[in-house]
Amino acid sequence: MRYFRCSDVGFKCEYEASGETEEEVMAKVEQHAREKHQMNVLSPEIREKIRQVMREER
């Protein structure tokens, strides 16, 4: 299971997402970014930063 926290990329935000795959988590993060941070498109740099901080859930 993969796990991501919005605060891990510098936002003052308590959002957390988890999923079986990186792609599943990224889809949830993209939706959250659109709805809560008004980010309609995630740049390749932001996507890479998200992937770097995503971790395995224990």
Side-chain angles (χ1 to χ4, degrees):
M1 176 98 38
R2 303 289 289 165
Y3 177 77
F4 169 80
R5 290 186 311 203
C6 208
S7 61
D8 289 342
V9 291
F11 285 97
K12 291 184 179 180
C13 178
E14 296 181 15
Y15 177 77
E16 298 179 356
S18 62
E20 291 297 320
T21 65
E22 182 176 295
E23 292 79 18
E24 185 180 344
V25 175
M26 190 62 75
K28 293 176 182 179
V29 171
E30 288 173 345
Q31 181 178 357
H32 169 75
R34 282 191 304 275
E35 294 174 358
K36 301 298 180 185
H37 299 293
Q38 292 73 48
M39 298 174 74
N40 292 328
V41 177
L42 295 181
S43 70
E45 295 82 13
I46 296 281
R47 288 175 174 278
E48 183 58 29
K49 190 171 186 178
I50 291 168
R51 284 186 180 98
Q52 288 175 359
V53 300
M54 206 179 290
R55 63 190 96 153
E56 289 294 320
E57 195 171 52
R58 296 175 194 185

